[in-house]
Structures are given as C-alpha cells and as structure tokens.
Amino acid sequence: MNAYEGLVDTGEERHWAFGTGFTAALSGVDRALPAEVDTEDLTAYCLMLGDDALILSQRLAEWCSRAPELEEDVALANIALDLLGQARLLLTRAAEADGVACDEDTLAFTRDEHEFRNVRLVEIDCGPGPGGDFAATIARLLVFSTYRLALLQRLTGSRDPVLAAVAAKGVKEVAYHRDHAAQWTLRLAGGTEFSRERMVAGLERVWPFVDELFAPHPVEARLPGIAVDSATLRAEVDEVLDTVFAAASLARPEVSPLATVAGRGGRDGVHTEAMGYLLAEMQHVHRSMPGATW
Amino acid sequence: MELEHEFERVVAADHRVEPRDWMPDGYRRTLIRQIAQHAHSEIIGMQPEGNWISRAPSLRRKAILLAKVQDEAGHGLYLYAAAETLGADREDLTAKLVEGRQKYSSIFNYPTLTFADVGVIGWLVDGAAIVNQVPLCRTSYGPYARAMIRVCKEESFHQRQGYELLLTMMRGTQAQRDMVQRSVDRWWWPSLMMFGPPDTESTNTEQSMKWRIKRHTNDELRQKFVDMTVPQAEKLGVTLPDPDLRWNAERGHHDFGEIDWAEFWQVVGGDGPCNAQRIAHRRKAHEDGAWVREAAAAYAAKKSGEEQVA
C-alpha cells in the first residue's frame, strides 16, 4: 500500500496501512471466576502483582532517551513494555473480579496512594534520577525479575485460568529480563574498578527492600490454589542470586532490611515518600480531564 | 575515470550503489552527512515525545507511545549502521551531534506542551517525514534505501496511531477538542518548515538530485504534504491556522500562506525554543553512560584475553 495514501479513507475502520497482526494477549482463555473464591481477595491479589509491574514499568520508562547506549534504550523500553503489558492484563482481571464498573485505567489512574499494593522495591528512584544510576537500576531489575520469574513459574498452575495464562506469557518475558540484568551485573562487576564500585553500591541501595518480597501476606493465604505463597520463593531466589554473585565475584550485601510502618508495607498500601511523586506525575493528565476519552 | 563512468552508469540506470563499490568522495560525504543527520533526528526525536510517556492518560496510550519512542531508537541504530557502511563511526557521529557540529531535524526543537502534541506529532510531523522519506526508499545508495523501507513502514504505523488518537480526542470532551486545536495551531507551520528552505535557497538540492540521493525538491514535497493533509484536517474537524489556505483549481493544488522563514533560520541557527535543552539532554545521557560503556568494553577485553589464554 502506498504510504502517501490519506488517512481519511480508512480511519473509521482502524485499518492500518501495513496491518497489525495483533491478537489479544489472552484470546481464548476462560474468564469465568474460579469457584469458591473471595472476589475481594482475588482483586487484591491481582492488584499486588499488577501494581508491581505497573510501577516498575513507570520507573524503567524514565530511562527512555537517557540510557548509556542506544541498544540499552531499546532494551529497557522493551522490558518496561513487557511489564506494562502484564500490568494491563492483571489490572483488567482485578477489575473483573471486583465486579464494580471499572477498568484498567480507573485502577491505574484514580486510585490513591494507599490503595496501591506494590512492594516498595519497585517504586523507589534507582536512576536515572538522583536516587540511583544504571547500576542501581540493574541491581533492582536483577532482584525483581528473579523474584517475579520464580513467582510466575508457580502461578502457571493457578486455579484461576486468567492468572495462569498471564503467568505463562510472563514467564517467557521475565526470563529475558532476568538474563539481561544478570549479564549487566557480570559486566559492571567485572568491568572497571569504578563500575564495580557502582554495582556494589547499587545492590546496597536495593537490598533493604528485598525481605518485603518474601513476607507472607494474608491475601495469599486466603487464596489456596490460586495465589502463590511468597515465602516459598525465597530459597529459589537466593540460589539464583548467589549463582550470579559467585560468577561476578560479588558478596551478598550486608544491609539490614527496611522496617515496615506499624507492621504494614507496600502490599498493605503503606509506601515510601517517592510513591506520591510518581503517582502525581503518572495520574495528572487523566485526573485533570474528567470524562475525557483517550 | 573508468570507475567514475561505472558509478554514473549505475546511478543513471537507477541501480543501487553498494558499500564496496567505488563512489566519488563528494557522494560519500553528502551521504554520511545526510544519513547521520537523519539518525540524529531519530535520537533527538525521542525526547519531545518521550516527555509524555510518564504522563500518558491511559495505559494503552502509554504502551503505544513507549513502543513508538523505542522504534525511534531502533531507527537511529540502523541509520547509524548505514552510515558506518560508508566508513563513518557511530561514536564519532555522536560526538559531532553533542558538540553541535552536525544538525538534526529542527522540528524537534519545538516543545511538547500537552498530550495532544503526541497525536499531532504523529499526524503532521510523522506525516511530513513520510513524504520526505518515501522517495528515499529508492535513493541510489543501497543500505540507506533498504533502511528507509523499514523506517517508512514504521513511520506510517506511527502516523496512523497519532491520527487515531486525535480522532478519539475530537470525539471526547470540549476541553479535549480545544487541546487538539491549540496543538495543531502550534505544529502546523513548523511541520511545513520540515521540508527545508524554498528551492530558490536550497544549497544541496541540485547535486543531490543529480546523484539520485534526492528525487524531489523541497517545494514539491511541501506541496504534496499540504494537499495530502487538508482533507485529513477537515475530517478531523480542526482548522489549519492559515487564512490563505485554499484550493486552486487552476493549479490543481492548495495555495498556502508565506512561511515565516525568519523563524525557520532562527531555529536552524540554534535559537529555537528547545535547541539547547535537546542537546544538553543528549550530552548528559552520553556522558552519564560513559562509565557503563567503558565497563562493557573492559569486560569484553578481559573475556577475549581469557579465551586466548585458554
């Protein structure tokens, strides 16, 4: 087709010049809610996993046009896009389970900070802002993708067919994210003296937030066969990280875990001070134009 | 002489010149300059749209925008690769960009002030880029022509996504329609400037046309863009900000008003609204990333050393 051809002839049918070839990510998956499930818990669980992906995607996208090399601009944007895709599927499932008339955008753009259920690890500034640098970004990605891959692998067996399908799709993506982070960990740790210092500092930056990933949550406990018990992931994650650290001649950081606030952390809607600014930026346009369609 | 005749024969026959073929130095220099400027434009072009990724008002639009900006990085990459087939070096070209010794498309020196700008850039700026670039798919240098085929396909996709965003916004609230109109008011004239100075003042056109690097003059392409865009604006329900814009049945084209060439030369000369900001952003990313590139190189050197020992 001639790329000059006007848009007006075909615009109504959303008829793209070169075709899209896209099919819906979960087409053919049974969307009925599993029997005997507390829908409030299922909603909360989908938000936990969906918000992790959404907020880390928001952070990673900050690198766009700021990466150390063009190839890395492409790679980080790609990882952010994968996570955004996972977030959209999970928030859509949360909206379905909730039963109230809402969708992925209502959940992403109109919830207040205390309603977000992501772990604090994904929301802190690990660069390109002043809170970190490329090494801290890689350190967080290594930890998070190792944790999420272990989680999604188990979730493929979930009794909720939608969660199982999201997990099956996500496993392939996150395996690549983990590999990318591990490859950079080797290079930064084994590159120059300076890059090694930055890698060590990056791991120290994120390490206080690691324990929260494995804290068992009551929502998980109330969804047997559907959710994954986070505490069961620790051994595998430790093993993978130790393997990477050994190959990179790095020591596991000796940094104490960050306390919760009166027993509550990110999964319970109690976040770091960074979260408010992140949401203010993310939600501003959507909230400023009530009734708008995008 | 024989080599030069062979080159001229290839060009005249509309065949492609390939990297290992003999070519005149001027042809090589012109191509390196043009391809590098094109690559720089893709990379600098990531900034004005990237400005809205964090604030995109729906998750679908966020995904579309992030994917688009990622495509631009990809375009930059394979255009730099095309320049390298002529003996240029990406690191050197990047240095020329951040030191202001090579240019990029001036359109990216304008600010993106609302989310409607994302749609209008897709529609007008990518639209103008397509009009400029489709003839380059038949340009005489093979690697450049082949890169442009892929770039044009993706740009066409971006243009349609931009237009679709605007259609959606125009069907939304009055506040959204006003936002689109204000954005069109800001981007229309700079889009017309994307085709470069008028033919009477274009210094590079004649030789480039002879070498079949370029196939149409600036004014021809600008007219084509105006004729193409007017019905799209009508369909959208926006007003193009030019009181002199009207159909001329005699010419079979739209007449349009005089472009503010003083502004054009001011922006090209470095004093556009965002020139300094765009270059500073690119330079900072490049400098901040130096230690990472050094680490990767040092690691690779150590590994290849180990392999040689083993």
Side-chain angles (χ1 to χ4, degrees):
Chain A
M1 183 178 284
N2 184 347
Y4 283 142
E5 275 180 22
L7 302 170
V8 286
D9 307 329
T10 51
E12 288 290 355
E13 303 90 53
R14 304 284 190 270
H15 178 95
W16 303 102
F18 294 95
T20 64
F22 300 151
T23 48
L26 300 187
S27 64
V29 173
D30 179 13
R31 303 202 71 96
L33 296 177
E36 292 165 43
V37 65
D38 182 321
T39 53
E40 203 174 311
D41 284 333
L42 182 59
T43 302
Y45 190 61
C46 291
L47 289 176
M48 287 154 92
L49 303 188
D51 289 345
D52 279 357
L54 176 63
I55 302 303
L56 185 56
S57 172
Q58 180 80 3
R59 281 299 187 199
L60 286 171
E62 292 173 0
W63 279 99
C64 202
S65 79
R66 293 181 176 88
E69 192 60 287
L70 294 179
E71 285 84 349
E72 197 56 25
D73 262 313
V74 175
L76 290 177
N78 207 55
I79 294 170
L81 270 171
D82 284 344
L83 290 172
L84 181 54
Q86 292 177 21
R88 294 182 63 192
L89 296 171
L90 288 161
L91 293 190
T92 300
R93 186 57 167 171
E96 279 173 2
D98 191 46
V100 181
C102 72
D103 60 16
E104 58 177 22
D105 289 332
T106 322
L107 289 171
F109 295 102
T110 66
R111 273 183 302 155
D112 288 329
E113 179 177 330
H114 68 91
E115 297 169 290
F116 276 78
R117 288 180 166 271
N118 54 282
V119 290
R120 293 175 292 178
L121 174 70
V122 296
E123 76 204 28
I124 57 169
D125 170 22
C126 284
D133 58 11
F134 185 69
T137 291
I138 290 300
R140 168 165 63 189
L141 186 62
L142 177 69
V143 170
F144 179 77
S145 56
T146 302
Y147 153 79
R148 193 164 176 94
L149 182 57
L151 192 162
L152 293 182
Q153 278 165 342
R154 285 160 181 75
L155 197 64
T156 56
S158 173
R159 207 150 57 73
D160 178 0
V162 174
L163 280 180
V166 171
K169 179 175 183 291
V171 160
K172 291 176 225 152
E173 296 166 348
V174 179
Y176 161 77
H177 306 171
R178 190 182 75 174
D179 182 57
H180 189 73
Q183 293 293 337
W184 268 119
T185 303
L186 293 178
R187 278 156 183 75
L188 296 181
T192 63
E193 206 172 308
F194 182 77
S195 69
R196 184 174 180 80
E197 280 169 24
R198 298 318 307 157
M199 192 65 229
V200 169
L203 285 165
E204 285 174 356
R205 165 83 174 124
V206 302
W207 212 256
F209 298 90
V210 170
D211 271 23
E212 188 178 352
L213 300 173
F214 307 104
H217 198 276
V219 166
E220 294 167 358
R222 290 196 297 267
L223 292 169
I226 291 178
V228 174
D229 174 1
S230 293
T232 63
L233 304 174
R234 178 117 222 186
E236 181 184 325
V237 171
D238 278 346
E239 195 188 326
V240 173
L241 292 179
D242 285 343
T243 306
V244 176
F245 291 159
S249 307
L250 288 167
R252 178 179 281 265
E254 293 193 28
V255 184
S256 309
L258 203 72
T260 51
V261 178
R264 297 163 68 213
R267 292 270 186 252
D268 311 298
V270 178
H271 294 280
T272 63
E273 289 182 350
M275 185 68 168
Y277 292 93
L278 183 149
L279 291 181
E281 185 172 347
M282 185 175 91
Q283 297 181 334
H284 153 68
V285 177
H286 184 98
R287 288 189 183 224
S288 304
M289 303 195 78
T293 43
W294 302 101
Chain B
M1 265 303 106
E2 204 174 304
L3 287 169
E4 189 156 0
H5 283 142
E6 174 60 13
F7 170 82
E8 280 167 5
R9 193 191 61 74
V10 166
V11 169
D14 249 343
H15 293 158
R16 300 284 91 87
V17 178
E18 295 299 334
R20 271 172 288 186
D21 296 344
W22 182 90
M23 60 189 85
D25 287 344
Y27 177 85
R28 186 185 297 274
R29 273 198 309 274
T30 301
L31 270 172
I32 289 177
R33 182 180 54 82
Q34 181 171 337
I35 297 173
Q37 286 184 3
H38 193 164
H40 298 333
S41 301
E42 297 283 355
I43 299 308
I44 296 293
M46 294 169 72
Q47 292 178 37
E49 290 180 275
N51 184 32
W52 285 92
I53 293 170
S54 67
R55 292 175 289 173
S58 80
L59 297 185
R60 176 168 168 263
R61 292 295 173 195
K62 191 190 285 285
I64 288 172
L65 183 56
L66 185 51
K68 178 184 175 182
V69 178
Q70 185 195 30
D71 281 350
E72 285 164 2
H75 294 174
L77 267 175
Y78 44 82
L79 285 164
Y80 283 126
E84 287 185 327
T85 66
L86 290 158
D89 170 64
R90 200 213 296 185
E91 185 66 26
D92 174 56
L93 297 177
T94 301
K96 286 187 168 122
L97 169 66
V98 300
E99 289 160 16
R101 288 188 284 137
Q102 273 183 344
K103 294 199 184 306
Y104 54 89
S105 177
S106 267
I107 193 73
F108 301 120
N109 290 318
Y110 287 88
T112 51
L113 302 180
T114 66
F115 195 73
D117 290 21
V118 169
V120 171
I121 287 178
W123 173 40
L124 295 180
V125 174
D126 292 337
I130 290 167
V131 171
N132 263 330
Q133 290 169 10
V134 163
L136 292 176
C137 297
R138 297 189 298 125
T139 196
S140 57
Y141 187 60
Y144 191 26
R146 289 188 287 274
M148 290 319 300
I149 290 171
R150 180 161 164 197
V151 169
C152 283
K153 283 186 184 184
E154 292 181 357
E155 293 291 355
S156 170
F157 191 63
H158 297 162
Q159 194 203 15
R160 281 166 185 273
Q161 286 175 323
Y163 193 72
E164 191 256 343
L165 168 60
L166 297 179
L167 279 174
T168 305
M169 289 183 73
M170 291 302 285
R171 292 178 190 136
T173 61
Q174 188 58 43
Q176 286 184 290
R177 282 189 286 278
D178 294 344
M179 188 190 265
V180 172
Q181 182 62 55
R182 283 196 302 273
S183 178
V184 170
D185 290 346
R186 282 184 282 110
W187 287 97
W188 172 248
W189 290 106
S191 300
L192 293 189
M193 295 177 196
M194 283 178 70
F195 298 93
D199 294 347
T200 48
E201 287 174 51
S202 178
T203 47
N204 300 318
T205 298
E206 197 183 339
Q207 181 64 68
S208 285
M209 296 211 16
K210 187 165 157 257
W211 278 332
R212 304 218 175 168
I213 294 173
K214 203 168 165 172
R215 290 173 169 273
H216 306 278
T217 70
N218 295 350
D219 286 331
E220 284 167 11
L221 293 171
R222 189 166 11 246
Q223 181 69 60
K224 194 178 192 77
F225 174 71
V226 172
D227 290 340
M228 194 178 100
T229 307
V230 168
Q232 294 166 359
E234 281 167 10
K235 161 97 185 232
L236 204 51
V238 296
T239 307
L240 297 175
D242 178 0
D244 298 325
L245 184 67
R246 64 179 58 85
W247 177 249
N248 181 331
E250 208 171 299
R251 288 205 306 129
H253 291 292
H254 291 85
D255 291 338
F256 53 97
E258 182 67 16
I259 291 169
D260 181 353
W261 292 113
E263 178 180 305
F264 172 81
W265 290 114
Q266 191 183 5
V267 178
V268 169
D271 294 319
C274 299
N275 298 52
Q277 175 190 334
R278 300 288 185 241
I279 289 293
H281 180 117
R282 181 72 190 107
R283 187 189 298 123
K284 184 175 189 322
H286 192 66
E287 287 172 359
D288 286 356
W291 67 269
V292 177
R293 297 190 299 276
E294 281 160 22
Y299 181 83
K302 282 182 203 171
K303 284 290 143 187
S304 79
E306 279 168 26
E307 269 168 31
Q308 278 170 16
V309 170

